[in-house]
Amino acid sequence: MIQEIIEIEKPDLITKVRDMKNAGYRLATICALKDLTLRYSFVKDEKQVTLKYPADGPEPVESVSGLYSYAFMYENEIRDLFGINIINMNLDFNGHFYETAVKVPFRAAESKVKDGE
């Protein structure tokens, strides 16, 4: 399988995801990393393309669920576990997709490391 990673700028997310859909790619997954980078992975035939998107900062991230309806599952999970503000999801659980003992546990764990706990 051929793999390609493309770093994109914040204003380009929806345009790039639309380009992938129009080119016949299916959304395989969206994942968040500890540095609050989102990775949108797409697959077509024997090629995987990953869009690397910086979600750090106060600006909300626009949902891609208008293009790939099932993206709401990934997006709600990312909001609940990482605290990344994803807006305009086609199905928004408002922070209750997962019920966890610690609110946004992956960001809370990162805070403890920084604070020396």
Side-chain angles (χ1 to χ4, degrees):
M1 178 172 280
I2 299 168
Q3 297 183 16
E4 180 180 5
I5 297 175
I6 302 170
E7 292 191 33
I8 62 172
E9 300 295 322
K10 289 186 178 189
D12 298 332
L13 177 63
I14 299 301
T15 300
K16 296 294 187 185
V17 171
R18 184 178 294 114
D19 290 347
M20 299 304 293
K21 184 172 180 83
N22 290 341
Y25 283 83
R26 69 176 177 83
L27 176 65
T29 191
I30 306 170
C31 66
L33 304 177
K34 286 198 280 185
D35 67 355
L36 302 183
T37 298
L38 296 179
R39 291 189 177 225
Y40 296 78
S41 295
F42 301 86
V43 176
K44 178 182 174 185
D45 302 324
E46 295 297 317
K47 185 171 184 183
Q48 176 180 326
V49 176
T50 299
L51 302 178
K52 187 176 172 185
Y53 177 83
D56 57 338
E59 306 88 23
V61 176
E62 187 69 31
S63 171
V64 300
S65 62
L67 295 166
Y68 292 95
S69 61
Y70 53 91
F72 80 90
M73 293 182 290
Y74 301 121
E75 293 171 337
N76 277 284
E77 176 181 68
I78 288 166
R79 178 195 285 162
D80 286 3
L81 300 179
F82 288 88
I84 295 172
N85 184 19
I86 300 175
I87 60 170
N88 300 322
M89 287 182 258
N90 63 6
L91 184 53
D92 188 344
F93 283 78
N94 295 306
H96 299 285
F97 192 68
Y98 288 118
E99 295 297 331
T100 58
V102 176
K103 189 168 177 68
V104 291
F106 294 145
R107 192 167 279 179
E110 182 68 20
S111 295
K112 288 181 181 180
V113 171
K114 286 181 183 175
D115 294 338
E117 292 183 16

